[in-house]
Amino acid sequence: MLSRRLVSRPTRSAATRALKAAASRSSALAPASVTLTRSIQSSTPAPQTDRDTITRLLYSIGTKREVERYLRIFSSSSHPTQPPKFAVIKIGGAVLDQLDDLALSLSFLYRVGLYPVVLHGAGPQLNEIIEAEGVTPDYIDGIRITDANTLQIARRVFAEENLRLVTALEKLGTRARPIVTGVFTADYLDKDKYGLVGKITRVDKRPIEASINAGALPILTSLAWSPEGQLLNVNADVAAGELAKELEPLKIVFLNEKGGLFHGVTGEKLDVINLDEEYDSLMKESWVKYGTKLKLREIKELLDHLPRTSSVAIISADSLQKELFTDSGAGTLIRRGYKLFRHNSIDAVGPDRLRQVIHDRDPDVISGHQSVAGVLSDLKKTPYTIYGDEPFDVVAIVSHPPGEVPIMTKLLPSRNGILNNVVDNVFNSIKKDHRKLFWTARVDDENRAWHFERADGSFTRAGRSLFWYGIQDVKEVEAIVRGFEANKRIERAFLPVGPSPPPHRANPEPASPSGTRPFSTSAVRPSLSPSHIRTGIHTGSSRGYATTVDQKRVALIGARGFTGQALVSLLNGHPSLNLTHVSSRELAGTQLRGYNKAPVMYQSLSPEDVQKMEEKDEVDAWIMALPNGVCKPFVDAVDRAKGKSTIIDLSADYRFEEVNGWTYGLPGKKVAM
């Protein structure tokens, strides 16, 4: 199992403002048909600007490439003739109490043209009413005993909770259709034992498809009718499972309060569970019992009935976007997967299959830089191991001559391998075998953020990045790289270790008349797994980084939002960057949480304060995590002081302007930390 994944999310206030602004333009909107989304026949299409706004907000939780890749994957999973193929989302009754976060998360999906099928329970609400009447809820084997009175209350509660959610969505301009009954047909599960509890025998997709074709999210309950017309209560988890078996969606999402499954001993969130690889051993763990064991068994049974491309995610409502649109995810991802293999010869893997994977996926082969025959020939020069999964969704090759540090010479994932995190499982298998590892990736690799998150260090030269883990000493890194070059194990000249001199330093140019200096506007999503804390900040596709730098003082302006909090966590794990100032008007006077190097209090810094601090040389680097339009006065204040600090601007205030000599479009080349 993998380590914990970072859970970060956009601030609710910013997201709410964006959605409410969109809602104000139209009281009932449906996403427009665009290149990344499936066309939906609706009489009230939403403006393209609404979709663009929400997509840009999604960029704040992951890289643009990640977001657009997952949008393409999810959109292509549906077809106008079979619309409910994207996701089934089951909402626990307790999550309905988090109505604002829930409605906001679902509205995000709606605004980018994705239509999940939503099914909710109402257990806690039902219990509250029953207990108020002096009746104690009764269960057998985790199933609610349902008599006629309980069913009557359940029907009312389901209808009320369903309407609450629909109303909350429509207030955000998201069309939604309540479907309280009419989807499920059921027989009695065991009338004598459980009473009016049903076992689903049929799922009618027509109400769901009609809702989506009309441009509205279908909001279902788990109530079912018997063939004789008797209303029956069905467990919402069971109903969601039967619904998923019928629809065969790409994602099945269970929203709960905890936000995932947790290790019973360490308390850490379980990142990914590969059932084919881990189920048997996991079920034997002493801490896997009761509800956890039942949940895993039910999920395995569900996924056994679905295509291998389907997966289950258990997350909290406010982390839905991060789980769906980033590689790191947010909760617990469970999939069938395949058993992994490791072989020390091409024949054991299958020469034809390996050749085809290299031909279809290797960027160096596709670009003409290498040939398939050349790759296989180079492979035989040193001892190697080929890692992968049974369907070859991911293939990795590690060269490991005796007495030398291994190099992962190839990492070739398919789309399914990325979507279902098979690439993480394969990489984890490699880490078990090798305590140290080097590898390279092209700067135009669309999964480049993945490499940064799993490396302890990296730097970039001439369009290619060198990554490594297991080594903290830059002198050791340099010695190893010298050995690689001497033995011709890597092609590019990565010596001396560290970033190439920025152009403006290697070839000094006259200062601009205003005396301004260029700075970087590129930001990345951090990863805070304890075993993956990196020794460098990677700030864009062109930035080089070495692992030994002087201690730097960093000021973060706009520390309250999710981006600010993610940066705080990243800086907390960085060996050379010390956070000395954080600014948030709302939190001024309170202590910063999540930063353990030293106590830091929130301040409410004005542009004038920032200018004075810059003049006094109190800060080495300013990180501006402010909304567009708000950042400019602070950048101008730093610039007026004519100090020596670096600015990293995460807004777009200057991005498309050529003002005062500011340089954009060259992320990282002008940053020195």
Side-chain angles (χ1 to χ4, degrees):
M1 256 170 283
L2 300 181
S3 57
R4 290 172 295 163
R5 294 182 291 187
L6 171 67
V7 180
S8 61
R9 58 188 173 94
T11 57
R12 187 169 70 182
S13 58
T16 302
R17 286 196 300 272
L19 287 171
K20 286 185 176 178
S24 67
R25 290 191 287 269
S26 174
S27 59
L29 303 176
S33 173
V34 294
T35 56
L36 295 181
T37 58
R38 173 179 48 78
S39 175
I40 295 291
Q41 298 299 320
S42 173
S43 60
T44 56
Q48 175 67 31
T49 53
D50 293 348
R51 184 185 184 281
D52 291 343
T53 298
I54 303 305
T55 301
R56 284 196 296 270
L57 279 173
L58 288 174
Y59 293 160
S60 66
I61 64 172
T63 67
K64 182 177 180 180
R65 285 176 175 174
E66 282 179 302
V67 171
E68 292 186 346
R69 182 175 71 247
Y70 284 109
L71 277 173
R72 285 194 298 270
I73 291 170
F74 292 143
S75 299
S76 64
S77 69
S78 296
H79 188 274
T81 61
Q82 292 181 309
K85 287 287 188 179
F86 160 50
V88 168
I89 299 179
K90 186 267 175 178
I91 302 169
V95 178
L96 288 172
D97 292 334
Q98 306 167 18
L99 195 59
D100 289 343
D101 280 336
L102 178 59
L104 187 62
S105 294
L106 295 175
S107 293
F108 260 87
L109 300 180
Y110 175 85
R111 290 287 168 182
V112 293
L114 299 175
Y115 286 73
V117 180
V118 180
L119 183 146
H120 67 81
Q125 294 83 354
L126 179 58
N127 285 344
E128 184 178 351
I129 294 176
I130 292 176
E131 290 170 356
E133 297 182 1
V135 179
T136 301
D138 192 11
Y139 297 86
I140 297 178
D141 301 328
I143 298 173
R144 182 190 297 274
I145 306 303
T146 306
D147 57 18
N149 182 53
T150 301
L151 183 62
Q152 183 179 3
I153 297 172
R155 184 175 188 177
R156 185 177 77 247
V157 170
F158 271 118
E160 291 173 352
E161 295 301 315
N162 189 278
L163 183 59
R164 274 207 320 135
L165 178 55
V166 169
T167 302
L169 288 167
E170 292 191 337
K171 283 182 179 179
L172 293 173
T174 298
R175 295 187 63 196
R177 178 174 292 185
I179 306 176
V180 178
T181 60
V183 172
F184 302 112
T185 301
D187 290 331
Y188 288 98
L189 179 61
D190 187 329
K191 189 173 182 180
D192 294 334
K193 186 175 183 180
Y194 303 114
L196 301 174
V197 175
K199 178 181 180 181
I200 293 174
T201 57
R202 180 173 175 271
V203 176
D204 187 352
K205 298 187 292 184
R206 291 176 299 174
I208 298 170
E209 292 172 342
S211 174
I212 294 176
N213 286 329
L217 298 184
I219 311 298
L220 284 62
T221 76
S222 58
L223 294 175
W225 291 104
S226 73
E228 298 76 26
Q230 171 62 54
L231 190 66
L232 297 173
N233 184 28
V234 178
N235 177 274
D237 283 344
V238 173
E242 294 301 319
L243 186 63
K245 291 176 185 177
E246 179 67 26
L247 301 180
E248 296 188 345
L250 201 58
K251 302 288 287 189
I252 304 99
V253 178
F254 290 90
L255 299 182
N256 66 14
E257 289 180 294
K258 294 182 178 179
L261 295 179
F262 292 80
H263 194 288
V265 177
T266 66
E268 293 186 352
K269 185 181 294 181
L270 304 182
D271 177 32
V272 177
I273 299 175
N274 185 347
L275 293 175
D276 279 10
E277 186 80 8
E278 303 175 76
Y279 179 77
D280 291 338
S281 60
L282 194 58
M283 295 297 277
K284 295 176 184 177
E285 293 282 349
S286 59
W287 56 270
V288 177
K289 50 188 176 182
Y290 310 129
T292 302
K293 181 168 288 189
L294 177 62
K295 176 67 71 176
L296 287 173
R297 187 179 294 119
E298 290 175 346
I299 290 174
K300 183 180 188 303
E301 181 182 350
L302 169 61
L303 289 177
D304 283 345
H305 285 82
L306 296 174
R308 287 191 179 269
T309 52
S310 296
S311 61
V312 169
I314 302 175
I315 53 175
S316 59
D318 58 4
S319 298
L320 182 58
Q321 293 82 33
K322 184 167 179 60
E323 176 64 34
L324 294 177
F325 294 106
T326 68
D327 293 333
S328 61
T332 299
L333 176 69
I334 305 173
R335 55 159 185 267
R336 288 175 67 190
Y338 286 90
K339 291 187 180 297
L340 303 181
F341 66 77
R342 56 168 67 82
H343 295 300
N344 297 321
S345 71
I346 297 174
D347 290 338
V349 175
D352 293 338
R353 293 184 72 188
L354 184 59
R355 286 192 189 96
Q356 192 64 49
V357 168
I358 295 171
H359 177 271
D360 293 343
R361 302 181 198 164
D362 190 333
D364 292 328
V365 171
I366 294 172
S367 66
H369 182 67
Q370 285 185 296
S371 66
V372 175
V375 171
L376 296 177
S377 176
D378 290 343
L379 186 59
K380 298 175 182 179
K381 294 178 181 178
T382 66
Y384 61 88
T385 301
I386 303 173
Y387 296 81
D389 63 326
E390 291 175 352
F392 277 47
D393 277 334
V394 176
V395 172
I397 302 173
V398 177
S399 165
H400 47 82
E404 297 186 35
V405 176
I407 296 177
M408 181 168 64
T409 58
K410 297 294 178 185
L411 179 63
L412 309 174
S414 68
R415 189 189 77 165
N416 284 337
I418 296 169
L419 177 64
N420 293 317
N421 285 33
V422 182
V423 65
D424 285 317
N425 275 4
V426 171
F427 191 74
N428 220 37
S429 180
I430 293 172
K431 290 195 71 173
K432 291 178 182 178
D433 291 347
H434 304 289
R435 296 177 60 186
K436 300 177 182 179
L437 187 74
F438 281 74
W439 72 98
T440 64
R442 296 159 61 110
V443 296
D444 59 356
D445 187 334
E446 68 172 5
N447 304 309
R448 193 161 178 258
W450 181 93
H451 298 277
F452 282 116
E453 290 179 354
R454 282 143 188 87
D456 288 337
S458 72
F459 60 86
T460 299
R461 292 280 175 79
R464 204 169 189 94
S465 296
L466 178 69
F467 300 93
W468 64 88
Y469 70 71
I471 304 170
Q472 305 300 326
D473 185 354
V474 69
K475 292 183 179 179
E476 183 180 356
V477 171
E478 186 161 4
I480 292 171
V481 173
R482 287 187 185 279
F484 289 160
E485 294 204 333
N487 295 328
K488 298 182 179 180
R489 294 185 63 198
I490 57 176
E491 292 184 15
R492 306 206 63 84
F494 283 104
L495 292 172
V497 168
S500 302
H504 73 296
R505 291 181 182 173
N507 300 295
E509 297 176 1
S512 62
S514 63
T516 56
R517 64 199 181 289
F519 63 96
S520 170
T521 60
S522 177
V524 298
R525 175 175 51 81
S527 174
L528 301 181
S529 170
S531 61
H532 294 120
I533 291 181
R534 298 180 298 283
T535 58
I537 290 183
H538 310 281
T539 57
S541 61
S542 300
R543 182 173 190 272
Y545 179 73
T547 54
T548 54
V549 293
D550 296 332
Q551 297 293 310
K552 301 294 184 181
R553 301 160 297 173
V554 178
L556 176 58
I557 310 298
R560 186 186 181 212
F562 106 88
T563 302
Q565 291 300 310
L567 287 167
V568 168
S569 298
L570 179 60
L571 293 170
N572 189 50
H574 197 287
S576 306
L577 299 181
N578 299 313
L579 190 56
T580 56
H581 299 84
V582 291
S583 178
S584 170
R585 185 174 63 255
E586 294 85 354
L587 300 177
T590 63
Q591 184 166 336
L592 174 66
R593 296 182 179 180
Y595 187 78
N596 304 320
K597 291 183 181 181
V600 179
M601 301 296 290
Y602 280 102
Q603 302 169 271
S604 180
L605 296 177
S606 66
E608 292 74 20
D609 296 328
V610 168
Q611 182 173 343
K612 291 177 182 178
M613 293 167 64
E614 179 70 10
E615 290 170 348
K616 295 178 181 179
D617 194 27
E618 295 181 5
V619 174
D620 296 308
W622 299 89
I623 301 179
M624 305 295 181
L626 294 167
N628 297 345
V630 179
C631 182
K632 187 177 186 299
F634 292 90
V635 174
D636 290 345
V638 176
D639 188 47
R640 284 194 300 270
K642 301 186 185 299
K644 299 179 181 179
S645 68
T646 296
I647 300 174
I648 301 175
D649 177 16
L650 306 187
S651 77
D653 283 9
Y654 291 99
R655 189 161 295 164
F656 301 111
E657 300 177 13
E658 295 180 1
V659 179
N660 298 328
W662 293 106
T663 301
Y664 282 81
L666 299 173
K669 287 189 177 181
K670 306 298 177 73
V671 175
M673 285 190 184

